[in-house]
Amino acid sequence: MRAGAVVDAILGFDVAQYVAAARHDGRHKLDPVLRGEMATLYEDLRDVRARIDVPAEVRPQLRLAELLLESEWKLAGDEEPGGTRGRRYQAYANNRLLSHVLGTRRHSSDAAIERRSRWALHTLVDSWLRFERSGTEWSHDMLPTDAELAERVDRLTHMHAATAPHSPVPRIAPEPPSRWQDYLGDGQGNVLEYLINLPQTTQHDENAFLRVIHLTETATWGMIARVVAAVEWLKKNHWDNAAHCLDRAAALAQVQLDAMLVLRRTMSVERFMGFRADTGSASAVQMLSGQLLQIHLLGIHPHKIEALSRVYENAFLLLHLNPEFEPLRTALRRLPADHDTAAKVLTAAETLDDTLFRWRRVHLGMAHRHLPKESGSGGTAGAPYLQSFYDDRLFNDGILAPQPQPPTRPPLPNSVYARPIFSPLN
């Protein structure tokens, strides 16, 4: 297809009609003809975006379209044996669209990424709260009990107040817009409202499950930005700045913990298992941001090397196995023991570490409760896999934990994708 025809087809695509169809039946039952058309558009668009004759004014719309169409292209490959298409983590939760809104590939400052993360957290909580209060017309199967719903709304109300940004948030359209351009600029709230939260089923709690994924992703990217910045400040002995960054990261970790507690307290095993099969091979082990945060905090644990090498899309993280990379745990060891300001850094780091540890405790408890004992998800052993890294943290009983030593020759895969590594300080 000629470039002009591809651009015209993309710009003429009715986004609202797609959202309505996905919500009405669940993405798993989306019309295969529509999904096939979207997959073909994605393949054509990948080639077109690289051409210099594509008008600059439509490139942002094409990029947004590419990210959404990519998910349907991957979902259309469910039957591909041994491939990376299908219902994997990124495609299942439309996380590349979320990252696009957060600006994690724009080389922004740590403060700028945190601001966008906090705006997105509030927007996502607001959307979820409205969904639970509305008696929604979509995702209406297998509803929570009245008591569970009341507790969920109460917890979300407190999160809504706690995440309130200092500046006004962009308005969200009352219905999904039809044109890509209405999801750009001030319309990016429409992406969070309509394009990332598209469950595979019409079961009510799958919507809640996706909301927690998006809140976790958003908080994690903000934490990564602040942890990376803290390490850079520590290298320059700017301890006040490092402590500030870690305090900000700890506050985001609390939001992440609160979101997980909503699921732990208000989602039954039966309702989780009702939609779990439709999540496909999606697994948190494929969560780029979560793995990256742990690496910047602690380095790569030797026992994680094999698991990371098996995750096709994230194996490039093993490139952090080099002597030049320094995680926060290593940087903290250079702090002078008798300096008051340096002590503030340790206090902030310990608060962050403790909050993340409590999050892991809830996550592990949910894995024990909700996942089959014989297996987990994404090819891992589930709860036993999480248990093996449960105690890997910055501090043990208030003392900096030792750095596990990697093998002399780590069993790296034969090849990995060399993808751009997030760098908010660039």
Side-chain angles (χ1 to χ4, degrees):
M1 188 182 293
R2 292 183 300 107
V6 173
V7 171
D8 289 343
I10 295 295
L11 297 182
F13 181 80
D14 192 328
V15 184
Q17 186 177 34
Y18 160 72
V19 173
R23 284 183 166 187
H24 185 269
D25 298 317
R27 290 171 84 189
H28 185 47
K29 293 184 179 179
L30 197 67
D31 182 353
V33 174
L34 173 60
R35 175 166 283 167
E37 291 174 352
M38 295 177 73
T40 300
L41 277 177
Y42 170 70
E43 292 175 340
D44 291 337
L45 181 56
R46 282 190 305 181
D47 298 330
V48 167
R49 280 192 68 244
R51 295 181 54 139
I52 61 173
D53 57 343
V54 174
E57 61 269 18
V58 303
R59 287 185 179 275
Q61 297 179 61
L62 298 182
R63 175 57 176 163
L64 186 68
E66 180 185 19
L67 294 172
L68 180 69
L69 295 171
E70 180 189 39
S71 288
E72 295 304 335
W73 173 77
K74 287 188 173 183
L75 293 170
D78 266 355
E79 305 304 320
E80 183 185 83
T84 59
R85 293 174 67 185
R87 281 166 287 173
R88 293 176 71 80
Y89 182 77
Q90 291 281 30
Y92 169 69
N94 278 339
N95 279 323
R96 293 195 69 196
L97 271 169
L98 175 60
S99 294
H100 183 69
V101 171
L102 297 177
T104 62
R105 297 287 295 275
R106 296 179 196 158
H107 305 297
S108 302
S109 70
D110 57 303
I113 288 181
E114 189 202 343
R115 279 195 302 272
R116 294 189 70 81
S117 295
R118 288 183 176 277
W119 161 74
L121 287 170
H122 184 73
T123 303
L124 290 166
V125 172
D126 181 75
S127 176
W128 187 5
L129 184 56
R130 284 186 283 105
F131 173 84
E132 299 292 354
R133 283 174 169 169
S134 67
T136 179
E137 296 178 2
W138 60 285
S139 290
H140 50 69
D141 296 328
M142 296 185 70
L143 298 173
T145 66
D146 289 344
E148 289 169 333
L149 184 58
E151 180 170 358
R152 183 175 293 178
V153 167
D154 183 62
R155 287 179 174 273
L156 290 174
T157 299
H158 284 89
M159 287 181 64
H160 190 261
T163 58
H166 296 298
S167 56
V169 298
R171 296 179 62 181
I172 293 172
E175 298 291 336
S178 296
R179 302 176 303 173
W180 296 110
Q181 66 187 52
D182 294 322
Y183 294 89
L184 299 171
D186 290 341
Q188 289 190 63
N190 292 326
V191 177
L192 302 181
E193 178 73 19
Y194 298 115
L195 299 188
I196 65 169
N197 206 73
L198 296 172
Q200 296 290 315
T201 71
T202 56
Q203 294 181 35
H204 188 90
D205 273 2
E206 189 186 0
N207 193 295
F209 183 66
L210 280 167
R211 304 278 182 173
V212 171
I213 287 176
H214 297 140
L215 288 166
T216 300
E217 281 277 348
T218 301
T220 300
W221 281 115
M223 283 187 275
I224 292 169
R226 287 305 197 175
V227 168
V228 170
V231 172
E232 295 303 312
W233 288 124
L234 288 172
K235 290 177 181 178
K236 299 174 175 61
N237 295 334
H238 291 185
W239 299 317
D240 273 328
N241 291 334
H244 171 75
C245 287
L246 295 176
D247 278 332
R248 303 293 291 182
L252 290 168
Q254 183 63 51
V255 177
Q256 178 181 258
L257 173 60
D258 291 341
M260 182 64 76
L261 285 170
V262 176
L263 281 196
R264 176 66 179 85
R265 294 283 303 176
T266 68
M267 181 186 289
S268 70
V269 175
E270 292 74 22
R271 293 201 306 277
F272 174 78
M273 295 305 296
F275 64 78
R276 179 178 181 268
D278 287 291
T279 65
S281 57
S283 168
V285 74
Q286 300 157 14
M287 180 184 174
L288 169 62
S289 61
Q291 299 291 353
L292 191 57
L293 176 62
Q294 286 298 102
I295 288 170
H296 279 289
L297 287 169
L298 307 169
I300 296 180
H301 194 288
H303 296 156
K304 267 196 173 182
I305 294 173
E306 182 181 355
L308 279 174
S309 69
R310 291 199 304 263
V311 181
Y312 179 82
E313 54 266 62
N314 291 347
F316 79 99
L317 293 173
L318 292 172
L319 295 172
H320 288 88
L321 279 172
N322 69 76
E324 300 301 318
F325 174 71
E326 183 175 82
L328 179 64
R329 177 157 51 187
T330 301
L332 291 175
R333 295 191 181 285
R334 293 197 304 273
L335 286 169
D338 57 350
H339 196 288
D340 290 342
T341 306
K344 292 180 181 178
V345 177
L346 290 174
T347 299
E350 193 166 3
T351 300
L352 172 62
D353 185 50
D354 181 64
T355 308
L356 289 172
F357 181 71
R358 285 187 288 146
W359 182 89
R360 289 201 303 277
R361 185 166 57 205
V362 176
H363 188 209
L364 178 61
M366 288 197 66
H368 278 299
R369 183 184 179 204
H370 288 76
L371 294 179
K373 290 183 171 48
E374 66 274 9
S375 66
S377 57
T380 72
Y385 169 81
L386 296 175
Q387 183 77 57
S388 62
F389 304 106
Y390 174 68
D391 286 322
D392 187 24
R393 50 187 302 187
L394 287 171
F395 296 87
N396 289 329
D397 297 323
I399 301 172
L400 273 171
Q403 183 76 33
Q405 293 301 309
T408 305
R409 293 178 61 84
L412 299 177
N414 292 331
S415 62
V416 298
Y417 274 124
R419 294 170 52 181
I421 296 178
F422 171 73
S423 176
L425 301 179
N426 189 332

Coordinates of all heavy atoms in Angstrom, one line a residue, residues 82-145:
G82 N 5.6 -20.4 20.1 CA 6.9 -20.0 20.6 C 7.3 -18.5 20.3 O 8.4 -18.1 20.5
G83 N 6.3 -17.7 19.8 CA 6.6 -16.3 19.5 C 6.3 -15.4 20.6 O 6.0 -15.8 21.7
T84 N 6.5 -14.1 20.4 CA 6.3 -13.1 21.4 C 5.0 -12.3 21.2 O 4.7 -11.4 21.9 CB 7.5 -12.1 21.4 OG1 7.6 -11.5 20.1 CG2 8.8 -12.8 21.8
R85 N 4.2 -12.7 20.2 CA 2.9 -12.1 20.0 C 2.0 -12.8 20.9 O 2.3 -13.8 21.6 CB 2.5 -12.2 18.5 CG 3.4 -11.4 17.6 CD 3.1 -11.6 16.1 NE 1.7 -11.1 15.8 CZ 1.1 -11.2 14.6 NH1 1.8 -11.9 13.7 NH2 -0.1 -10.8 14.4
G86 N 0.7 -12.3 21.0 CA -0.2 -12.9 21.8 C -0.5 -12.0 23.1 O 0.0 -10.9 23.2
R87 N -1.2 -12.6 24.0 CA -1.5 -11.9 25.2 C -0.4 -11.9 26.2 O -0.4 -12.6 27.2 CB -2.8 -12.4 25.8 CG -4.1 -12.0 25.1 CD -5.3 -12.8 25.5 NE -5.2 -14.1 24.9 CZ -6.0 -15.1 25.1 NH1 -7.0 -14.9 26.0 NH2 -5.9 -16.2 24.5
R88 N 0.6 -11.1 26.0 CA 1.7 -10.9 26.9 C 1.5 -9.6 27.6 O 0.6 -8.8 27.3 CB 3.1 -10.9 26.2 CG 3.4 -12.3 25.6 CD 4.6 -12.4 24.8 NE 5.8 -12.2 25.6 CZ 6.4 -13.2 26.3 NH1 5.9 -14.4 26.3 NH2 7.5 -13.0 27.0
Y89 N 2.4 -9.3 28.6 CA 2.1 -8.2 29.5 C 1.9 -6.8 28.8 O 0.9 -6.1 29.1 CB 3.3 -8.1 30.5 CG 3.1 -7.1 31.6 CD1 2.3 -7.2 32.6 CD2 3.9 -5.9 31.5 CE1 2.2 -6.3 33.6 CE2 3.7 -4.9 32.5 CZ 2.9 -5.1 33.5 OH 2.8 -4.1 34.5
Q90 N 2.8 -6.5 27.9 CA 2.8 -5.2 27.3 C 1.5 -5.0 26.5 O 0.8 -4.0 26.5 CB 4.0 -4.9 26.4 CG 5.3 -4.8 27.2 CD 5.5 -3.4 27.8 OE1 4.5 -2.7 28.1 NE2 6.7 -3.0 27.9
A91 N 1.2 -6.0 25.7 CA 0.0 -5.9 24.8 C -1.3 -6.0 25.6 O -2.3 -5.3 25.3 CB 0.1 -7.0 23.7
Y92 N -1.3 -6.9 26.6 CA -2.5 -7.1 27.4 C -2.9 -5.8 28.1 O -4.1 -5.5 28.1 CB -2.2 -8.2 28.4 CG -3.3 -8.3 29.5 CD1 -4.6 -8.8 29.1 CD2 -3.1 -8.0 30.8 CE1 -5.6 -8.9 30.0 CE2 -4.1 -8.1 31.7 CZ -5.4 -8.5 31.4 OH -6.4 -8.6 32.3
A93 N -2.0 -5.1 28.6 CA -2.3 -3.9 29.4 C -2.1 -2.6 28.6 O -2.3 -1.5 29.2 CB -1.5 -3.9 30.7
N94 N -1.7 -2.7 27.3 CA -1.4 -1.5 26.5 C -0.4 -0.6 27.2 O -0.6 0.7 27.2 CB -2.7 -0.7 26.2 CG -3.5 -1.3 25.1 OD1 -3.0 -2.0 24.2 ND2 -4.8 -1.0 25.0
N95 N 0.6 -1.2 27.8 CA 1.5 -0.4 28.6 C 2.4 0.5 27.8 O 2.9 1.5 28.3 CB 2.4 -1.3 29.4 CG 1.7 -1.8 30.7 OD1 0.9 -1.0 31.3 ND2 1.8 -3.0 31.1
R96 N 2.6 0.2 26.5 CA 3.4 1.2 25.7 C 2.7 2.5 25.5 O 3.3 3.5 25.4 CB 3.8 0.5 24.4 CG 4.8 -0.7 24.5 CD 5.4 -1.0 23.2 NE 6.3 0.0 22.8 CZ 6.8 0.1 21.5 NH1 6.4 -0.8 20.6 NH2 7.7 1.0 21.2
L97 N 1.4 2.4 25.4 CA 0.6 3.6 25.3 C 0.7 4.4 26.6 O 0.8 5.7 26.6 CB -0.9 3.3 25.1 CG -1.4 3.2 23.6 CD1 -2.8 2.6 23.6 CD2 -1.3 4.5 22.9
L98 N 0.7 3.7 27.8 CA 0.8 4.4 29.0 C 2.2 5.1 29.1 O 2.3 6.2 29.6 CB 0.6 3.4 30.2 CG 0.9 3.9 31.6 CD1 -0.1 5.0 31.9 CD2 0.7 2.8 32.6
S99 N 3.2 4.4 28.7 CA 4.6 4.9 28.8 C 4.7 6.2 27.9 O 5.4 7.1 28.2 CB 5.6 3.9 28.4 OG 5.7 2.8 29.3
H100 N 4.0 6.1 26.8 CA 4.0 7.3 25.8 C 3.4 8.5 26.5 O 3.9 9.6 26.4 CB 3.1 6.9 24.6 CG 3.1 7.9 23.5 ND1 4.2 8.3 22.8 CD2 2.1 8.8 23.1 CE1 3.8 9.2 21.9 NE2 2.6 9.5 22.1
V101 N 2.3 8.3 27.3 CA 1.7 9.4 28.0 C 2.7 9.9 29.1 O 2.8 11.1 29.3 CB 0.4 9.0 28.6 CG1 -0.1 10.1 29.6 CG2 -0.6 8.7 27.5
L102 N 3.4 9.0 29.8 CA 4.3 9.4 30.9 C 5.6 10.0 30.3 O 6.3 10.7 31.1 CB 4.6 8.1 31.7 CG 3.5 7.5 32.4 CD1 4.0 6.2 33.2 CD2 2.8 8.4 33.4
G103 N 5.9 9.8 29.1 CA 7.1 10.4 28.5 C 8.4 9.7 28.9 O 9.4 10.4 29.0
T104 N 8.4 8.4 29.1 CA 9.6 7.8 29.6 C 10.6 7.7 28.5 O 11.8 7.3 28.9 CB 9.2 6.4 30.1 OG1 8.7 5.6 29.1 CG2 8.2 6.4 31.3
R105 N 10.3 7.9 27.3 CA 11.3 7.9 26.2 C 11.7 9.2 25.7 O 12.3 9.4 24.7 CB 10.8 7.0 25.1 CG 10.4 5.6 25.4 CD 11.7 4.8 25.5 NE 12.4 4.7 24.3 CZ 12.2 3.8 23.3 NH1 11.2 2.9 23.5 NH2 12.9 3.7 22.2
R106 N 11.3 10.3 26.5 CA 11.6 11.6 26.0 C 12.9 12.3 26.7 O 13.1 13.4 26.5 CB 10.4 12.5 26.3 CG 9.2 12.1 25.5 CD 8.0 13.0 25.8 NE 6.8 12.4 25.4 CZ 5.6 12.7 25.9 NH1 5.5 13.6 26.8 NH2 4.5 12.1 25.5
H107 N 13.6 11.5 27.4 CA 14.8 12.0 28.1 C 14.5 13.2 29.0 O 15.2 14.2 29.0 CB 15.9 12.3 27.1 CG 16.3 11.2 26.2 ND1 16.8 10.0 26.7 CD2 16.1 11.0 24.9 CE1 17.0 9.2 25.7 NE2 16.6 9.7 24.6
S108 N 13.3 13.1 29.6 CA 12.9 14.2 30.5 C 13.7 14.2 31.8 O 14.4 13.2 32.1 CB 11.4 14.1 30.8 OG 10.7 14.2 29.6
S109 N 13.6 15.2 32.6 CA 14.3 15.2 33.9 C 13.5 14.3 34.9 O 12.3 14.0 34.6 CB 14.3 16.6 34.5 OG 13.0 17.0 34.9
D110 N 14.1 13.9 36.0 CA 13.4 13.1 37.0 C 12.2 13.8 37.5 O 11.1 13.2 37.8 CB 14.4 12.7 38.1 CG 15.0 13.8 38.8 OD1 15.7 14.6 38.1 OD2 14.9 14.0 40.0
A111 N 12.3 15.1 37.8 CA 11.2 15.9 38.3 C 10.0 15.9 37.3 O 8.9 15.8 37.7 CB 11.6 17.3 38.7
A112 N 10.3 16.1 36.0 CA 9.3 16.1 35.0 C 8.6 14.8 34.9 O 7.3 14.8 34.8 CB 9.9 16.5 33.6
I113 N 9.3 13.7 34.9 CA 8.6 12.4 34.9 C 7.8 12.1 36.1 O 6.7 11.6 36.0 CB 9.7 11.3 34.6 CG1 10.2 11.4 33.2 CG2 9.1 9.9 34.9 CD1 11.2 10.4 32.8
E114 N 8.3 12.6 37.3 CA 7.5 12.4 38.5 C 6.2 13.2 38.4 O 5.1 12.7 38.8 CB 8.3 12.8 39.7 CG 7.5 12.4 41.0 CD 7.9 13.2 42.2 OE1 9.0 13.8 42.2 OE2 7.1 13.2 43.2
R115 N 6.3 14.4 37.9 CA 5.1 15.3 37.8 C 4.1 14.6 36.9 O 2.9 14.5 37.2 CB 5.4 16.6 37.2 CG 6.0 17.6 38.2 CD 6.0 19.0 37.7 NE 6.7 19.2 36.4 CZ 8.0 19.5 36.4 NH1 8.7 19.6 37.5 NH2 8.6 19.6 35.2
R116 N 4.5 14.0 35.7 CA 3.6 13.4 34.8 C 3.0 12.1 35.5 O 1.9 11.7 35.3 CB 4.3 13.0 33.5 CG 4.7 14.3 32.7 CD 5.1 13.9 31.3 NE 4.1 13.4 30.5 CZ 3.2 14.2 29.9 NH1 3.2 15.5 30.0 NH2 2.2 13.6 29.1
S117 N 3.9 11.4 36.3 CA 3.4 10.2 36.9 C 2.3 10.5 38.0 O 1.3 9.8 38.1 CB 4.6 9.5 37.6 OG 5.5 9.0 36.7
R118 N 2.5 11.6 38.7 CA 1.5 12.0 39.7 C 0.2 12.5 39.1 O -0.8 12.1 39.6 CB 2.1 13.1 40.6 CG 3.2 12.5 41.6 CD 3.7 13.6 42.5 NE 4.6 13.0 43.5 CZ 4.3 12.3 44.6 NH1 3.0 12.2 44.9 NH2 5.2 11.8 45.4
W119 N 0.3 13.2 38.0 CA -0.9 13.6 37.2 C -1.6 12.3 36.7 O -2.8 12.2 36.9 CB -0.5 14.5 36.1 CG -1.6 14.5 35.0 CD1 -2.8 15.2 35.1 CD2 -1.6 13.8 33.8 NE1 -3.6 14.9 34.0 CE2 -2.9 14.1 33.2 CE3 -0.7 13.0 33.1 CZ2 -3.2 13.6 31.9 CZ3 -1.1 12.5 31.9 CH2 -2.3 12.8 31.3
A120 N -0.8 11.4 36.2 CA -1.5 10.1 35.7 C -2.1 9.3 36.8 O -3.1 8.7 36.6 CB -0.4 9.3 34.9
L121 N -1.4 9.2 37.9 CA -1.9 8.5 39.1 C -3.3 9.0 39.5 O -4.2 8.3 39.7 CB -1.0 8.5 40.3 CG 0.3 7.7 40.1 CD1 1.3 8.0 41.3 CD2 0.0 6.2 40.1
H122 N -3.4 10.3 39.6 CA -4.6 10.9 40.0 C -5.7 10.7 39.0 O -6.9 10.4 39.3 CB -4.5 12.4 40.3 CG -5.7 13.1 40.8 ND1 -6.2 12.9 42.1 CD2 -6.6 13.9 40.2 CE1 -7.3 13.6 42.2 NE2 -7.5 14.2 41.1
T123 N -5.3 10.8 37.7 CA -6.3 10.6 36.6 C -6.8 9.2 36.6 O -8.0 8.9 36.4 CB -5.7 11.0 35.3 OG1 -5.2 12.3 35.3 CG2 -6.6 10.8 34.1
L124 N -5.9 8.2 36.8 CA -6.3 6.8 36.8 C -7.2 6.5 38.0 O -8.1 5.7 37.8 CB -5.0 6.0 36.8 CG -4.2 6.0 35.5 CD1 -2.8 5.4 35.7 CD2 -4.9 5.2 34.4
V125 N -6.8 7.0 39.2 CA -7.6 6.7 40.3 C -9.0 7.4 40.2 O -10.0 6.7 40.5 CB -7.0 7.3 41.6 CG1 -7.9 7.2 42.8 CG2 -5.7 6.5 41.9
D126 N -9.1 8.6 39.6 CA -10.3 9.2 39.4 C -11.2 8.4 38.4 O -12.4 8.2 38.7 CB -10.1 10.6 38.8 CG -11.4 11.4 38.5 OD1 -12.0 11.9 39.5 OD2 -11.7 11.5 37.4
S127 N -10.6 7.9 37.4 CA -11.3 7.1 36.4 C -11.9 5.8 37.1 O -13.0 5.4 36.8 CB -10.4 6.8 35.2 OG -11.1 5.9 34.3
W128 N -11.0 5.2 37.8 CA -11.4 3.9 38.5 C -12.5 4.2 39.5 O -13.5 3.4 39.5 CB -10.2 3.3 39.2 CG -10.4 1.9 39.7 CD1 -11.5 1.1 39.6 CD2 -9.5 1.2 40.5 NE1 -11.4 -0.1 40.2 CE2 -10.1 -0.1 40.8 CE3 -8.2 1.4 40.9 CZ2 -9.5 -1.1 41.5 CZ3 -7.6 0.4 41.7 CH2 -8.2 -0.8 42.0
L129 N -12.4 5.2 40.2 CA -13.5 5.6 41.2 C -14.8 5.8 40.5 O -15.8 5.4 41.0 CB -13.0 6.8 42.1 CG -13.9 7.2 43.2 CD1 -14.1 6.1 44.2 CD2 -13.3 8.4 43.9
R130 N -14.8 6.6 39.4 CA -16.0 6.8 38.7 C -16.6 5.5 38.2 O -17.8 5.3 38.2 CB -15.8 7.8 37.6 CG -15.6 9.3 38.1 CD -15.5 10.3 36.9 NE -14.2 10.3 36.3 CZ -13.9 9.7 35.1 NH1 -14.9 9.1 34.4 NH2 -12.7 9.8 34.6
F131 N -15.7 4.7 37.7 CA -16.2 3.4 37.2 C -16.9 2.6 38.3 O -18.0 2.0 38.0 CB -15.0 2.6 36.6 CG -15.3 1.2 36.2 CD1 -15.8 0.9 35.0 CD2 -15.0 0.1 37.1 CE1 -16.0 -0.4 34.6 CE2 -15.3 -1.2 36.7 CZ -15.8 -1.4 35.5
E132 N -16.3 2.5 39.4 CA -16.9 1.7 40.5 C -18.2 2.3 41.0 O -19.1 1.6 41.5 CB -15.9 1.5 41.7 CG -14.6 0.8 41.3 CD -14.8 -0.7 40.9 OE1 -15.9 -1.2 41.1 OE2 -13.8 -1.3 40.5
R133 N -18.3 3.6 41.0 CA -19.5 4.3 41.5 C -20.7 4.3 40.5 O -21.8 4.5 40.9 CB -19.2 5.7 41.8 CG -18.4 5.9 43.2 CD -18.0 7.4 43.3 NE -17.5 7.7 44.6 CZ -16.9 8.8 45.0 NH1 -16.7 9.7 44.1 NH2 -16.5 9.0 46.2
S134 N -20.4 4.0 39.3 CA -21.4 4.3 38.2 C -22.4 3.2 38.0 O -23.4 3.4 37.3 CB -20.7 4.6 36.9 OG -20.0 3.5 36.4
G135 N -22.1 2.0 38.5 CA -22.9 0.9 38.1 C -22.8 0.7 36.6 O -23.8 0.7 35.8
T136 N -21.6 0.6 36.1 CA -21.2 0.7 34.7 C -22.0 -0.2 33.8 O -22.4 -1.3 34.2 CB -19.7 0.4 34.6 OG1 -19.3 0.5 33.2 CG2 -19.4 -1.0 35.0
E137 N -22.1 0.3 32.6 CA -22.8 -0.5 31.6 C -21.9 -1.5 30.9 O -22.3 -2.3 30.1 CB -23.4 0.4 30.5 CG -24.5 1.3 31.1 CD -25.1 2.3 30.0 OE1 -24.6 2.2 28.9 OE2 -25.9 3.1 30.4
W138 N -20.6 -1.4 31.1 CA -19.7 -2.4 30.6 C -18.8 -3.0 31.7 O -18.8 -2.5 32.8 CB -18.8 -1.7 29.5 CG -17.9 -0.6 30.0 CD1 -18.3 0.7 30.3 CD2 -16.5 -0.6 30.2 NE1 -17.2 1.4 30.7 CE2 -16.1 0.6 30.7 CE3 -15.5 -1.6 30.1 CZ2 -14.8 1.0 31.0 CZ3 -14.2 -1.3 30.4 CH2 -13.9 0.0 30.9
S139 N -18.3 -4.2 31.4 CA -17.6 -5.0 32.4 C -18.5 -5.2 33.6 O -18.2 -4.9 34.8 CB -16.3 -4.3 32.9 OG -15.3 -4.3 31.9
H140 N -19.7 -5.7 33.3 CA -20.7 -5.8 34.3 C -21.0 -7.2 34.8 O -21.9 -7.5 35.6 CB -22.0 -5.3 33.8 CG -22.4 -5.8 32.4 ND1 -22.8 -7.1 32.2 CD2 -22.4 -5.3 31.2 CE1 -23.0 -7.3 30.9 NE2 -22.8 -6.2 30.3
D141 N -20.1 -8.2 34.4 CA -20.3 -9.6 34.8 C -19.5 -9.9 36.1 O -18.4 -9.3 36.3 CB -19.9 -10.5 33.7 CG -20.8 -10.4 32.5 OD1 -22.0 -10.1 32.6 OD2 -20.3 -10.6 31.4
M142 N -20.0 -10.8 36.9 CA -19.3 -11.2 38.1 C -18.9 -10.0 39.0 O -17.7 -9.7 39.3 CB -18.1 -12.1 37.8 CG -18.4 -13.4 37.1 SD -17.0 -14.5 36.8 CE -16.7 -15.0 38.5
L143 N -19.9 -9.3 39.4 CA -19.7 -8.1 40.2 C -19.3 -8.4 41.6 O -19.6 -9.5 42.2 CB -21.0 -7.2 40.3 CG -21.5 -6.7 39.0 CD1 -22.9 -6.1 39.2 CD2 -20.6 -5.7 38.3
P144 N -18.5 -7.5 42.3 CA -18.2 -7.7 43.7 C -19.4 -7.6 44.6 O -20.4 -7.1 44.1 CB -17.2 -6.6 44.0 CG -17.4 -5.6 42.9 CD -17.9 -6.3 41.7
T145 N -19.3 -8.1 45.8 CA -20.4 -8.0 46.7 C -20.6 -6.5 47.1 O -19.7 -5.7 46.9 CB -20.2 -8.8 48.0 OG1 -19.0 -8.3 48.7 CG2 -19.9 -10.3 47.6

